[in-house]
Amino acid sequence: MKIIDNFLPNYQFTQIKSFLLSDNFPWSYGNGILGDDVPPGFFQFYRRFFDDGRLAKDDEVPLLEPCIRGLVGEIEPSVLHSIFGSGYGKILSIKANLNPKTVFHRQLGYHTDFKDPSPRFKTSVYYINTNNGWTELKTGEKVKSVENRMIIFDSDIEHQGVTCTDQNRRVIVNFNYESN
C-alpha cells in the first residue's frame, strides 16, 4: 500500500472539494453498501463518474483529471483518447461515496471492488474531507480520512470504509484502473 499526502496542489484540491461538498451536488441513494458483512439498514450516497469503460457524466469527469494525472505513473499505458487525450491508462471506474455521520463508528463490510480482482489492477481512495473515519485493509492497515490524501493498493486486497462520528459526512473518491 502507498499513502500520498497532499496529493494535489491546494487550488486543484479545493475545486474538487467545493464541487463534491456543495449542497447542490447530485448524489444517488444506495440502499446497502458493497460487502457481505454489512448489517441491514446501512446505506450510502454515491455518484458514478466512470464505469465499465464509459463516462457517466461528461461535464463532471474533467474536474477529476488532476487526480488521474497524478495516478498516471500507476496506470497502464493503454490510452483513453476519447476522454482526456494521450497519457492515460485503462480506467475501470471512478466513483464518489458519501457516508453520513453515525453515532458510533460503523464498519461498512470488507469487499473488493470487482468480483474477480487481479493484482494487475489498482484501487485508489482519495479523501475529500478530514474526519475520524478511516479505510481498513483486511491485511491490517488502517488509513485515517485526511483531506487530499490518496492511498493506492492492489485491487485484490479486501478493504472497508468506517463511518465518522465527528463530521456530518465522510466523502471519498474511488478509482479503479489497470496498473503498469
Side-chain angles (χ1 to χ4, degrees), residues 53-131:
R54 292 180 309 234
L55 284 172
K57 192 106 166 88
D58 290 348
D59 57 336
E60 294 174 348
V61 174
L63 185 67
L64 298 171
E65 184 177 358
C67 289
I68 295 164
R69 285 184 190 273
L71 293 169
V72 97
E74 300 286 333
I75 296 175
E76 195 272 336
S78 63
V79 179
L80 292 170
H81 290 285
S82 63
I83 301 169
F84 300 110
S86 62
Y88 299 95
K90 185 172 181 185
I91 299 170
L92 304 172
S93 68
I94 303 172
K95 180 181 142 210
N97 292 333
L98 182 154
N99 299 114
K101 173 183 180 176
T102 54
V103 176
F104 302 102
H105 290 290
R106 298 287 186 234
Q107 297 177 337
L108 302 176
Y110 283 109
H111 64 278
T112 58
D113 292 351
F114 300 99
K115 286 206 182 272
D116 297 313
S118 162
R120 78 170 202 243
F121 296 113
K122 297 288 184 188
T123 295
S124 293
V125 178
Y126 187 54
Y127 298 92
I128 302 303
N129 65 324
T130 298
N131 58 73

Side-chain angles (χ1 to χ4, degrees), residues 141-157:
E141 296 98 339
K142 291 181 182 180
V143 181
K144 293 179 181 179
S145 296
V146 175
E147 69 179 25
N148 202 14
R149 171 179 280 174
M150 180 77 79
I151 64 169
I152 302 168
F153 53 93
D154 293 340
S155 290
D156 62 344
I157 297 174

Side-chain angles (χ1 to χ4, degrees), residues 34-65:
L34 185 63
D36 296 329
D37 302 331
V38 181
F42 279 84
F43 65 93
Q44 70 180 5
F45 297 93
Y46 69 92
R47 180 63 174 211
R48 292 190 187 283
F49 296 105
F50 191 88
D51 194 24
D52 197 25
R54 292 180 309 234
L55 284 172
K57 192 106 166 88
D58 290 348
D59 57 336
E60 294 174 348
V61 174
L63 185 67
L64 298 171
E65 184 177 358

